[in-house]
Amino acid sequence: MPKVIFTANLQRHVSCPPCVVPGRTVGEALENAFVAVPRLRGYVLDEHGRLRHHMVVFLDGQACSDRRGLGEAVGEAGEIVVMQALSGG
Amino acid sequence: MSDLMLASTRKGLFSVGRSGPGRWEVAGRSFLGDNVTLALADPRDGSWYAALDHGHFGVKLHRSGDRGATWTEIATPAYPEPPAGHEERDALGRLIPWTLVRIWALEPGLATQPGVLWAGTLPGGLFRSEDFGASWTLMRGLWDHPDRRAWLGGGADVPGIHSICVDPRDGDRVTVAVSSGGAWRTEDGGATWTCCSRGMRAEYLPPEKALDPVLQDPHRVVQCPAWPEVFWAQHHNGVFRSVDDCASWHEITSALPSVFGFAVAVHPADPLTAWFVPADKDERRIPLEGKVVVGRTRDGGRSFEVLREGLPQADAYDLVYRHALAVDGQGTRLAFGSTTGSLWVSEDGGDHWLTVAEHLPPVYAVCFVR
């Protein structure tokens, strides 16, 4: 099953240790990760389920571009990393 | 009189208490390092609410039942999904998202309405909660009003509701003010809305549009609790007052030392008395001549006093935002905070001021705990 890792900066606000969850797409895996910590969802996605404007998700080292559907297919050993989209500063 | 206030700042929420005659000091710190855009101390049950903007992680709302010792995250207002294919743009062609950008106003209902809260937001939605913020409902009557599409951002990319006045005579009568979109009134708890800013004047618009009530930019609107038919507004280009329950507004041109500013506070029992923290005009937004002052009228705006005792009078460039001036329930104690982290309090209606802090993070909002 895919592994989901959240940026350490999120830990200040919500407990979200790395987790292994089922999911055929990035979106499915994230939704399953949110089951254990429902509050986490609103920190990563907006009210419409889209990736927040200043967040980014990497799948196996590649940035996901489907910010609305998060539909990228995930392999059994896929690694999903949820990070802030840092742009300087 | 209130001995405690809350200062919402760019880097945390601070409770500031009166520790003795003329002595105020920071007593509590919450959310250190986080952007607290607004706080509410609910006089009905003593709860505190704090609105945070985490930037990357979005807008959050927290509630404390023990005066800030512990906080619990509660629901944030959520915008509905727009209709399929709907792409909304303002009158200037700029995209208006149907997503929560900021909580810009937070007010309780009346004592007879336990659990009722109102939240004004950017990009212009007004929300109501019936359950202490556990859930929120968008007031579609205002959001779907065709005139909302004429609203424009004022100081932000999108419009926002910054003032919510719940009528002390009837909790279903609520007046809100928008930058930039005028003032609006509901008589039925939020179902239907009417623009109520006739008489305001926008000198930044073409002459033929200057008196359009929907295009006004009231920076802050407050209602006198004891005389609720009286409202005061610090507008983008002037001071306005209504004495007929917002049926009409009249411009007050005698405000000193300038008519530009963001904040206004009205005396809770005296509709003739109001305070302002003026700044140099729109283009500059700094205190005139580097002197921090408070303007006060006690005769309904016919004349103004410039209060400066205890405030910095040289090379001070503090700007005071619209929510950063507060008056207590007796009209005796006032406080205001600035963008450069200063906080002042007066215990005599503004005649004299005490410096409480000079090195806070930028102050966005100040409120007294009643």
Side-chain angles (χ1 to χ4, degrees):
Chain A
M1 289 191 292
K3 182 178 184 182
V4 183
I5 301 167
F6 296 95
T7 170
N9 289 325
L10 252 176
Q11 301 284 344
R12 281 186 62 225
H13 309 295
V14 190
S15 174
C16 48
C19 57
V20 176
V21 291
R24 290 167 300 175
T25 66
V26 169
E28 284 183 14
L30 287 180
E31 288 296 344
N32 285 324
F34 298 150
V35 169
V37 192
R39 201 160 62 90
L40 181 58
R41 190 175 199 276
Y43 285 74
V44 178
L45 308 180
D46 70 13
E47 60 257 70
H48 306 306
R50 291 185 295 253
L51 192 62
R52 286 197 172 279
H53 186 65
H54 293 294
M55 296 295 285
V56 64
V57 174
F58 287 92
L59 170 62
D60 298 330
Q62 298 296 316
C64 297
S65 58
D66 181 11
R67 303 181 66 85
R68 176 179 287 269
L70 296 167
E72 283 88 349
V74 183
E76 267 298 298
E79 184 174 88
I80 298 165
V81 180
V82 180
M83 303 183 70
Q84 294 151 290
L86 297 179
S87 54
Chain B
M1 285 179 282
S2 179
D3 288 334
L4 190 62
M5 67 175 112
L6 300 178
S8 305
T9 81
R10 179 67 181 81
K11 292 291 181 181
L13 177 69
F14 300 88
S15 61
V16 178
R18 188 174 189 265
S19 53
R23 290 185 55 211
W24 294 72
E25 54 196 15
V26 174
R29 301 148 190 88
S30 301
F31 308 110
L32 277 179
D34 292 328
N35 184 4
V36 181
T37 56
L38 194 63
L40 162 68
D42 191 336
R44 298 171 300 179
D45 61 4
S47 294
W48 293 0
Y49 295 85
L52 281 71
D53 183 353
H54 285 308
H56 298 82
F57 307 132
V59 173
K60 311 298 174 199
L61 198 54
H62 293 251
R63 182 174 190 264
S64 175
D66 53 15
R67 294 196 157 207
T70 59
W71 293 86
T72 301
E73 187 174 334
I74 59 176
T76 49
Y79 281 74
E81 190 76 60
H86 178 77
E87 186 180 79
E88 188 168 316
R89 295 185 179 275
D90 67 16
L92 304 181
R94 299 174 299 193
L95 195 65
I96 301 292
W98 284 39
T99 55
L100 180 63
V101 174
R102 188 188 307 162
I103 294 173
W104 214 18
L106 204 51
E107 296 291 343
L110 299 184
T112 54
Q113 302 173 301
V116 171
L117 297 170
W118 295 88
T121 71
L122 277 73
L126 178 72
F127 292 81
R128 176 181 168 126
S129 173
E130 306 273 351
D131 51 13
F132 305 93
S135 63
W136 295 90
T137 302
L138 175 65
M139 298 291 98
R140 293 300 299 244
L142 186 57
W143 183 248
D144 294 333
H145 197 292
D147 284 348
R148 181 185 64 80
R149 302 290 289 276
W151 297 0
L152 296 170
D157 288 341
V158 293
I161 295 173
H162 50 67
S163 298
I164 301 172
C165 305
V166 180
D167 194 314
R169 300 163 295 187
D170 178 355
D172 284 340
R173 299 183 83 246
V174 178
T175 306
V176 303
V178 185
S179 282
S180 300
W184 292 78
R185 161 75 53 77
T186 180
E187 308 271 354
D188 53 16
T192 59
W193 293 83
T194 306
C195 189
C196 61
S197 32
R198 188 171 62 86
M200 290 185 186
R201 179 185 64 87
E203 69 180 19
Y204 47 85
L205 289 173
E208 61 272 21
K209 294 283 191 184
L211 298 178
D212 188 334
V214 178
L215 302 181
Q216 299 302 314
D217 184 12
H219 284 175
R220 181 82 168 129
V221 169
V222 292
Q223 181 178 22
C224 180
W227 297 81
E229 68 276 19
V230 176
F231 289 75
W232 288 85
Q234 172 64 70
H235 184 283
H236 186 88
N237 52 257
V239 172
F240 292 81
R241 185 169 183 252
S242 173
V243 297
D244 55 10
D245 224 354
C246 295
S248 65
W249 293 81
H250 65 273
E251 187 167 3
I252 292 171
T253 57
S254 56
L256 293 173
S258 81
V259 297
F260 180 81
F262 292 98
V264 54
V266 60
H267 194 290
D270 177 7
L272 299 175
T273 296
W275 297 266
F276 302 81
V277 188
D280 202 347
K281 58 185 180 178
D282 180 23
E283 300 91 314
R284 290 161 61 91
R285 303 186 180 207
I286 54 175
L288 277 84
E289 301 174 344
K291 300 173 180 177
V292 176
V293 301
V294 171
R296 179 178 65 191
T297 176
R298 293 197 278 198
D299 54 12
R302 280 193 290 276
S303 65
F304 280 77
E305 306 161 83
V306 178
L307 310 172
R308 60 179 84 241
E309 185 71 35
L311 298 172
Q313 296 301 295
D315 275 315
Y317 300 103
D318 301 73
L319 185 65
V320 177
Y321 283 158
R322 69 196 77 215
H323 301 116
L325 167 67
V327 61
D328 76 349
Q330 283 66 48
T332 304
R333 292 181 177 162
L334 292 114
F336 67 100
S338 78
T339 53
T340 42
S342 294
L343 180 66
W344 296 281
V345 65
S346 171
E347 298 185 343
D348 54 11
D351 288 337
H352 303 86
W353 294 89
L354 306 159
T355 301
V356 177
E358 294 176 284
H359 303 291
L360 288 175
V363 177
Y364 294 145
V366 173
C367 68
F368 280 101
V369 178
R370 299 179 183 179

